[in-house]
Amino acid sequence: MFRKAAVTTVSNGNYLQGQANGRLPSMDSGEPAREGKVVLKKKVTLLRGISIIIGTIIGAGIFISPKGILKNTGSVGMSLTVWTVCGILSLFGALCYAELGTCIKKSGGHYTYILEAFGPLPAFVRVWVELLVIRPAATAVISLAFGRYILEPFFMQCEIPELAIKLITAVGITLVMVLNSTSVSWSARIQIFLTFCKLVAILIIIVPGVIQLIKGETQHFKNAFAGNDASVMGLPLAFYSGMYAYSGWFYLNFVTEEVENPEKNIPLAICISMIIVTVGYVLTNVAYFTTISAGELLLSKAVAVVSYRRKTQSYIPAAVVCVDVFLFPGEKKWGMFFVASREGHLPEILSMIHVRKHTPLPAVIVLHPLTMIMLFNGDLYSLLNFLSFARWLFIGLVVAGLIYLRYKRPDMPRPFKVPLFIPALFSFTCLFMVALSLYSDPVNTGIGFAITLTGVPAYYLFIVWDKKPKWFRKLLGK
C-alpha cells in the first residue's frame, strides 16, 4: 500500500526525486548528475515568491491574535505597536532564513539548518517536538478557530457550548485530513480557492474600516495608550499571538531550489511581502477599532464576526472567515518528516507515500489522534502558548545557528548575507521571550518545555542505542 518516498519534500503537489539514503545533495555540491535524477526547475519568479509568502502568512491568525495581543498589552495603542514590531521581527527572521536557504540548499527547513549547525541531537529534538507538539497543536488551534467562527453567528445572544465547538472542530479536522490523504491535486486546488477567499475576507474588513476613518469614526482611538498598563510578563504572550499571525514566512525555504535568481529574488520577495502583510494586518486591526471598542473586542470570542455584523448587519461575510480558518497546512509542510525519516530520526513509515494516491497517509494517520488529544485537552489560547514556546525556541536556535555557522564555516558560499545585527537581534528576542514566557504562563509553556526535554532521552533510546531487540527494530522500521 505504501512505498518509500523518492524525495524528502513536497512542492506544489509534486513529489520530487532525490537520493534514497543520506542527506540531499546540495545544488552547489559538485556532485555529478545521475541517471534518473530529477533536478528542480527554476519556476518560482519574484511575483510567485511574493504570492507564496503572502498566501502562507495570511490566515486564521489575523482573526485569532487581536484579542490575545490586546489582552496582554492593555491598550489599543500598545496592541497596534506590537502588531508593527512583530511584523518587523518577522521580516528580520525571514531575511535570516533567506541567507540559510541560499547557502544550505537542502530540504527540511528548520530541521536541516539545526542539523547542519549543531548536529543530530538538537535536530532530533526539533523534529520530535514538531511531531508531538507543534504540528498537532497548530492544527488544533486553527481548527478551534474554525469551529467557533462556524457557530458564532448562531449563538450571538448566548455563549457557545465548548463541547459543541470541539465536536464540530473534530469533524472538520477529520474531513480535511481525509482530503489530504485522498488527493494531492484536490488539496492544492482547494488551497488556491481558499487563499482567494481569505484575501477577500481581509478586504471586507479593511475597506469599510478606511471608510469609517474618513467619516471621522475615531472615538476608539482617543487616548490610545490609556487603559491597563502593559506588564513585562504579558509581553511574551502578546509576542506569541502576534508572531503566530505572521508565522509562515519561513515556508519559501521549502522551494528555495525552484526560485529564479534566488540571491536577488528571495530577499526582494521577503521584503515586499512582509511590508504588504504588516501594513495589511495593522490596517485590519485599525478597522476593527473603528467598529468596536477595546472592551468589546476583549469580550468577543470571534472578533471578525462582531465587526462584520456591525458593518453589514449580516452574517454572510462571516462565512468567508470560516472558509479562511478552514485552510489547513499544505502538503509541502510534510517535508521535515521525510527528511528526518531518511536521516534515521523518525520511523521509516513516516517517509512513505500511498502507492496510488501519492499522499503522505502514514504521517496523517499518526498526527490525527495527536491532534484530537490536543483539541479535547486545551482551549485556543492555552494551546497557542503551548505550541509557541517550542516553535520560537527552535526558530531562535536556527537563527543563532546562522551566527555560529559564520564562525564555524566562514568559507561556506553565501550568495545572500544579512548584517550580523539582524540575526543577533532576532535570536535574542525569540530566546528572551521564550524564557520569560515560563513565568508568564508557567503551566502551558512549562508543559511544552517538559515535552521538549523528553526529546533528549528519546534520542539516546531510539537513535544512539544500537543493541535494540529485534521486535523494537522492526517497530522503528529498521
Side-chain angles (χ1 to χ4, degrees), residues 16-18 25-27 31-34 36-43 257-258:
L16 307 169
Q17 185 177 350
S26 170
M27 290 183 68
E31 294 182 22
R34 296 187 302 274
K37 180 180 177 182
V38 177
V39 179
L40 293 171
K41 294 182 179 179
K42 301 283 188 178
K43 57 185 178 182
E257 297 176 42
E258 299 177 65

Side-chain angles (χ1 to χ4, degrees), residues 279-322:
V279 171
Y281 274 6
V282 172
L283 286 178
T284 300
N285 281 273
V286 168
Y288 285 149
F289 290 119
T290 61
T291 306
I292 58 178
S293 66
E296 289 173 315
L297 190 149
L298 289 174
L299 291 174
S300 171
K301 296 294 182 66
V303 59
V305 171
V306 177
S307 180
Y308 279 142
R309 183 168 172 263
R310 293 284 181 86
K311 290 184 179 76
T312 64
Q313 296 300 316
S314 170
Y315 297 117
I316 295 175
V320 178
V321 181
C322 296

